[in-house]
Amino acid sequence: GENVEQHPSTLSVQEGDSAVIKCTYSDSASNYFPWYKQELGKRPQLIIDIRSNVGEKKDQRIAVTLNKTAKHFSLHITETQPEDSAVYFCAASSSYSSASKIIFGSGTRLSIRP
Amino acid sequence: ETGVTQTPRHLVMGMTNKKSLKCEQHLGHNAMYWYKQSAKKPLELMFVYNFKEQTENNSVPSRFSPECPNSSHLFLHLHTLQPEDSALYLCASSREEGAPPDIQYFGAGTRLSVL
């Protein structure tokens, strides 16, 4: 089955700098890659996603890149702000006939230093 | 709020108790999910229901028993749990489990402590 690995497990960056979180997946059939943000004590919420027919997607300060050949994808946050502090989860999903499920990475705890 | 409501938010139970977690979604979705989130572990998928039918049981012990009476409600019945079952249990829903994969909306979770 699918296996998603996420690195680093913790990341601390200076406010205003960029943060990059990387994930690899094992199932070449995976075609959907969402990123979720979970603030302390709150539910995971989707922040951006990418499907396998594109290599990059951007939404304001957040961007995701996908390398299908290498089976890895990354989250890039530019001009980081204190409210970016949270745990970020990558995930991979594929669809086989009528079934699909999302497999999550282990999470990255991002801290933004003032 | 994401339209997915979980109750209770916190639950403390003994190993011999029987309790149930409830999830309700008001998004018109047809797929619902139970996840377990432990400290320093990834979100672990437990069960998936699509149009009220269970389509995934991720090797979950039988002391966890899901129930999905309709597409809007999902329950997780708990009995004779172990301390290691203490975790945050998250419910999620999506339009439909299938192609293409769709966004999942999470509830706030039930923080479970087993004594």
Side-chain angles (χ1 to χ4, degrees):
Chain A
E2 174 67 279
N3 182 48
V4 178
E5 294 194 358
Q6 184 172 346
H7 300 280
S9 57
T10 59
L11 179 60
S12 178
V13 301
Q14 191 74 35
E15 182 178 350
D17 289 349
S18 295
V20 180
I21 302 171
K22 299 181 179 181
C23 290
T24 60
Y25 61 99
S26 60
D27 188 349
S28 57
S30 290
N31 55 6
Y32 175 61
F33 307 91
W35 285 87
Y36 284 81
K37 174 184 180 182
Q38 187 175 25
E39 296 178 45
L40 187 63
K42 296 190 176 180
R43 71 194 77 198
Q45 289 192 291
L46 181 78
I47 55 171
I48 195 168
D49 57 8
I50 191 168
R51 298 188 188 269
S52 59
N53 57 343
V54 298
E56 185 174 359
K57 185 177 179 180
K58 191 173 181 179
D59 183 4
Q60 299 182 346
R61 297 186 296 108
I62 295 173
V64 57
T65 59
L66 171 65
N67 183 327
K68 287 166 52 182
T69 303
K71 290 189 284 188
H72 66 70
F73 56 113
S74 301
L75 178 71
H76 304 253
I77 306 174
T78 58
E79 302 171 21
T80 53
Q81 300 170 4
E83 55 264 35
D84 295 329
S85 295
V87 178
Y88 292 80
F89 294 94
C90 65
S93 177
S94 62
S95 52
Y96 300 92
S97 63
S98 62
S100 69
K101 63 181 182 182
I102 289 180
I103 303 300
F104 285 86
S106 54
T108 296
R109 184 172 300 278
L110 175 62
S111 300
I112 307 301
R113 304 191 303 270
Chain B
E1 293 299 321
T2 59
V4 181
T5 304
Q6 287 187 245
T7 54
R9 292 294 309 276
H10 301 273
L11 179 63
V12 179
M13 60 186 290
M15 290 189 284
T16 58
N17 291 158
K18 291 183 180 180
K19 298 287 184 182
S20 295
L21 309 185
K22 179 182 176 182
C23 178
E24 184 175 358
Q25 56 93 4
H26 306 277
L27 302 170
H29 291 167
N30 292 306
M32 297 188 77
Y33 311 78
W34 278 118
Y35 288 90
K36 176 184 179 181
Q37 187 175 33
S38 306
K40 301 181 180 179
K41 284 189 176 182
L43 288 162
E44 300 173 72
L45 179 66
M46 300 175 71
F47 301 103
V48 181
Y49 278 82
N50 199 32
F51 292 94
K52 301 188 296 178
E53 297 297 322
Q54 186 179 129
T55 58
E56 183 78 26
N57 178 337
N58 202 22
S59 302
V60 181
S62 59
R63 56 185 184 270
F64 296 91
S65 176
E67 179 190 1
C68 187
N70 54 62
S71 293
S72 299
H73 294 85
L74 184 65
F75 296 90
L76 188 61
H77 304 299
L78 316 171
H79 63 98
T80 59
L81 294 192
Q82 304 298 311
E84 59 264 29
D85 297 322
S86 298
L88 179 68
Y89 288 85
L90 289 161
C91 171
S93 72
S94 66
R95 283 186 302 179
E96 179 179 336
E97 184 199 26
D102 202 10
I103 299 169
Q104 293 188 10
Y105 295 84
F106 284 85
T110 294
R111 175 71 60 186
L112 174 67
S113 298
V114 181
L115 304 179

